[in-house]
Amino acid sequence: MHIFSEADDRPHRPDDDPLWQESSLFVWHDLDAGVGGFWRLGQEPVAGAVNSCFGLFTHDGLRFRSNVTGTALDPADRGEAHMGWGPHLRVSFDGDAAIVADFADCEAALRFTDFHPRFDYHAVAMPGRQLTGAAHHFEVSGRMTGTVRIGDREIAIDALGYRDRSWGRRDWSQSRGTRWWPCVFGPNLTTHIIHLVHAGRVMKVGYVWRDGTTIPIVDSDLVVGLESDALTPRHGDAVLHLATGEVLRVACDRADAILMQVRGYTAVETIGTATLDGRRGMSNLEVSTNAAGGHAAPLCTLGSNAADGLSRRSP
């Protein structure tokens, strides 16, 4: 199985396809501190554009969100060992991955440390196949540490987290439904499930990382409870059938959720607590429901943060 190197974590040279993009995604949830966060940065060097969704929340309802799509990419946003969006967000690759965020109502200085090698996601989750639009792709569970400031509150973070990196052609118009669900229980256990409606069929793939071994998920049944906005999950439940013959059951709730919009694609990043065989961990259930292929912004949301800037969750 191919293992991506530290050099693979750094920005890559694009080809001449205007849909070529490179992304870096992080999600984390500190259950003890009561703080969670998400950031997906996508850069399109040929098109000269940036797509970024950054959000933080506290369990008692304080929220911050910044979402831009198709905004101008400055040459300084890409370097040999960093990617960013203007003066607001930057990730530096120095063996680990370090995030700096700088907004008037929100700041962050965070470092993500991997729990396991950067293995080829496709080789693990879908042997012999490759997902169109994600030619180069790895995903890693780990620990996020550092500090954040949201409003006038500064909080130390020691969180379980998950990240991914991808680069290559990405056509956002192709997806009609997504369930992207990593759950991290510690250095020795991660589950990850993808259900994707693509090209007229539903693809179900995933893997379990357990005690130093990756195990493909050969089949899975995933049910998501949605709010009346038809966007925001309240909870998720899944039955996982592993290549070993084992059957696992994993569930998650919602602590808070962040609406991400990128190039007409709308998804809700639902961050909460995962449970599996008595263990508790962090969960990010990303859900996109786009059966009719629409591209307009949602008119309202129930339970997910769709407002930019500092806000407070309704009771």
Side-chain angles (χ1 to χ4, degrees):
M1 179 177 61
H2 176 65
I3 302 295
F4 288 92
S5 69
E6 180 183 333
D8 291 318
D9 217 357
R10 299 174 181 230
H12 300 81
R13 184 184 299 276
D15 60 27
D16 58 0
D17 189 331
L19 293 182
W20 193 96
Q21 69 91 52
E22 180 160 28
S23 65
S24 185
L25 180 152
F26 301 86
V27 60
W28 63 96
H29 190 195
D30 188 331
L31 279 63
D32 293 329
V35 182
F38 172 87
W39 182 32
R40 183 193 182 275
L41 172 70
Q43 295 186 333
E44 302 167 350
V46 180
V50 170
N51 307 296
S52 172
C53 179
F54 178 83
L56 288 176
F57 66 86
T58 64
H59 285 190
D60 62 1
L62 200 58
R63 291 168 152 181
F64 179 85
R65 175 179 177 267
S66 165
N67 192 103
V68 295
T69 183
T71 196
L73 174 70
D74 189 281
D77 290 339
R78 286 178 66 82
E80 182 179 342
H82 78 270
M83 298 169 60
W85 171 46
H88 301 295
L89 289 159
R90 175 176 288 216
V91 54
S92 301
F93 304 103
D94 57 2
D96 293 331
I99 297 173
V100 175
D102 186 3
F103 297 91
D105 291 315
C106 185
E107 296 177 311
L110 299 166
R111 177 170 290 273
F112 192 101
T113 303
D114 297 347
F115 280 156
H116 56 75
R118 304 174 180 102
F119 48 73
D120 185 334
Y121 180 82
H122 295 123
V124 173
M126 40 194 297
R129 294 181 290 163
Q130 189 173 78
L131 183 61
T132 302
H136 306 284
H137 189 112
F138 66 80
E139 306 197 3
V140 183
S141 58
R143 188 169 297 280
M144 185 73 90
T145 56
T147 59
V148 300
R149 178 184 63 82
I150 180 167
D152 59 2
R153 191 186 311 179
E154 186 168 305
I155 306 168
I157 302 297
D158 185 358
L160 294 172
Y162 199 82
R163 73 181 183 105
D164 78 9
R165 292 278 283 115
S166 70
W167 56 99
R169 179 183 172 85
R170 176 72 61 88
D171 185 349
W172 291 99
S173 69
Q174 297 300 307
S175 179
R176 295 300 181 94
T178 306
R179 308 292 188 262
W180 183 86
W181 187 16
C183 299
V184 183
F185 298 92
N188 65 340
L189 181 59
T190 296
T191 64
H192 186 244
I193 311 160
I194 290 181
H195 284 194
L196 181 66
V197 179
H198 183 77
R201 64 187 181 92
V202 179
M203 182 179 68
K204 301 179 179 182
V205 298
Y207 73 93
V208 172
W209 164 264
R210 185 175 62 193
D211 298 328
T213 301
T214 53
I215 307 168
I217 297 172
V218 296
D219 194 16
S220 56
D221 182 39
L222 171 56
V223 176
V224 176
L226 288 181
E227 298 280 6
S228 297
D229 61 7
L231 288 169
T232 308
R234 287 189 182 182
H235 57 82
D237 298 274
V239 178
L240 314 181
H241 298 269
L242 309 189
T244 58
E246 297 171 86
V247 178
L248 302 180
R249 289 171 172 81
V250 61
C252 74
D253 62 9
R254 181 186 77 208
D256 210 336
I258 300 158
L259 186 82
M260 178 180 72
Q261 290 183 280
V262 49
R263 295 297 191 189
Y265 175 85
T266 299
V268 175
E269 309 296 334
T270 311
I271 302 171
T273 301
T275 56
L276 171 62
D277 291 336
R279 294 186 62 169
R280 297 172 69 247
M282 69 78 60
S283 164
N284 181 53
L285 177 55
E286 178 186 287
V287 170
S288 174
T289 303
N290 183 32
H295 297 287
L299 296 177
C300 71
T301 59
L302 299 173
S304 56
N305 186 8
D308 277 350
L310 191 67
S311 62
R312 181 164 289 279
R313 184 175 63 243
S314 300

